[in-house]
Amino acid sequence: DTAVSQTPKYLVTQMGNDKSIKCEQNLGHDTMYWYKQDSKKFLKIMFSYNNKELIINETVPNRFSPKSPDKAHLNLHINSLELGDSAVYFCASKRGETQYFGPGTRLLVL
Amino acid sequence: ELKVEQNPLFLSMQEGKNYTIYCNYSTTSDRLYWYRQDPGKSLESLFVLLSNGAVKQEGRLMASLDTKARLSTLHITAAVHDLSATYFCAVGHYGGSQGNLIFGKGTKLSVKP
């Protein structure tokens, strides 16, 4: 069974569009995250969220917004996509001290 | 601001050799994580180090943590080709209640026959 899943796996879109990436975890974890991995493989936290608190990395543009319809899901909405948004986006969830990562969504903005 | 530095960033080694990857971080933390990433894949948790002096071993990999020196090492013993991957260290950053990870830039390891 997949612990943390993301859809879509690949996303190719035009500048200016709005898109969403979905993340689901079936582990019963309380805390979920979004990370961005750029073309140089550098990983950076974007958001961390549980049902009580959202923490936003201050460097993340407000075009990015996480939305959690329930405890098992943390979706990422991106408005007015820019070329620099092209990256791999990873969702993760945490149990104890370990974060479990999803397979990633490869976003290409043309 | 917490900074995490890994070195080397690229490592090419022969099978059977030993080597160490270093991870330095800039502020106090007692949570250090090592992850492996294969090309085009997700991140796989290797080790979680939660206290000064912690040492963990799995197969040919051994990780250690010195919180006083703000240093973690990942030692590779008798490398084999299957270990070729990118290895990331990450430091736990616990602003707020959830905590998140601050990653190093990764060490791309290539093991050649």
Side-chain angles (χ1 to χ4, degrees):
Chain A
D1 289 343
T2 302
V4 182
S5 60
Q6 293 178 230
T7 55
K9 190 172 181 180
Y10 300 96
L11 182 54
V12 181
T13 188
Q14 299 286 333
M15 280 177 57
N17 285 349
D18 302 337
K19 290 293 181 184
S20 294
I21 306 172
K22 295 184 178 180
C23 177
E24 177 181 3
Q25 54 95 4
N26 61 7
L27 301 167
H29 295 171
D30 288 327
T31 307
M32 297 180 72
Y33 308 82
W34 278 103
Y35 291 87
K36 178 181 180 180
Q37 187 173 42
D38 64 23
S39 59
K40 295 183 179 179
K41 305 300 183 188
F42 184 52
L43 275 152
K44 193 169 186 179
I45 182 72
M46 299 178 71
F47 304 99
S48 59
Y49 182 79
N50 65 20
N51 57 4
K52 298 177 184 177
E53 187 177 10
L54 170 67
I55 295 180
I56 302 170
N57 184 320
E58 61 191 11
T59 67
V60 175
N62 59 14
R63 299 181 293 104
F64 291 78
S65 58
K67 296 193 191 306
S68 181
D70 55 58
K71 188 177 171 180
H73 296 83
L74 183 65
N75 303 325
L76 182 64
H77 294 267
I78 316 169
N79 294 325
S80 302
L81 277 156
E82 300 178 358
L83 294 176
D85 297 334
S86 296
V88 181
Y89 293 85
F90 287 99
C91 176
S93 70
K94 184 166 81 85
R95 178 182 67 193
E97 293 295 341
T98 302
Q99 290 192 21
Y100 299 86
F101 283 76
T105 295
R106 286 148 184 79
L107 171 64
L108 177 61
V109 182
L110 302 175
Chain B
E1 180 187 352
L2 175 59
K3 293 184 187 292
V4 181
E5 294 188 356
Q6 277 182 247
N7 70 83
L9 297 183
F10 298 94
L11 177 55
S12 180
M13 56 191 299
Q14 285 190 309
E15 283 190 329
K17 299 293 186 182
N18 304 332
Y19 209 84
T20 300
I21 300 170
Y22 297 89
C23 176
N24 291 90
Y25 53 98
S26 61
T27 62
T28 301
S29 176
D30 58 1
R31 289 169 166 81
L32 195 293
Y33 308 80
W34 284 96
Y35 284 86
R36 169 180 171 148
Q37 186 178 35
D38 291 297
K41 302 293 185 181
S42 186
L43 285 90
E44 173 191 358
S45 177
L46 294 175
F47 300 108
V48 179
L49 304 169
L50 299 177
S51 61
N52 186 40
V55 177
K56 291 194 175 180
Q57 183 164 5
E58 181 73 33
R60 301 175 188 273
L61 300 178
M62 183 173 71
S64 66
L65 177 62
D66 181 344
T67 58
K68 294 180 181 178
R70 298 177 185 169
L71 171 68
S72 180
T73 62
L74 180 66
H75 186 72
I76 303 156
T77 301
V80 293
H81 179 70
D82 286 351
L83 289 179
S84 297
T86 298
Y87 293 86
F88 292 93
C89 68
V91 176
H93 180 59
Y94 288 85
S97 60
Q98 295 100 329
N100 56 52
L101 301 179
I102 307 300
F103 281 85
K105 292 186 176 180
T107 297
K108 186 172 182 179
L109 172 65
S110 176
V111 181
K112 302 181 185 303

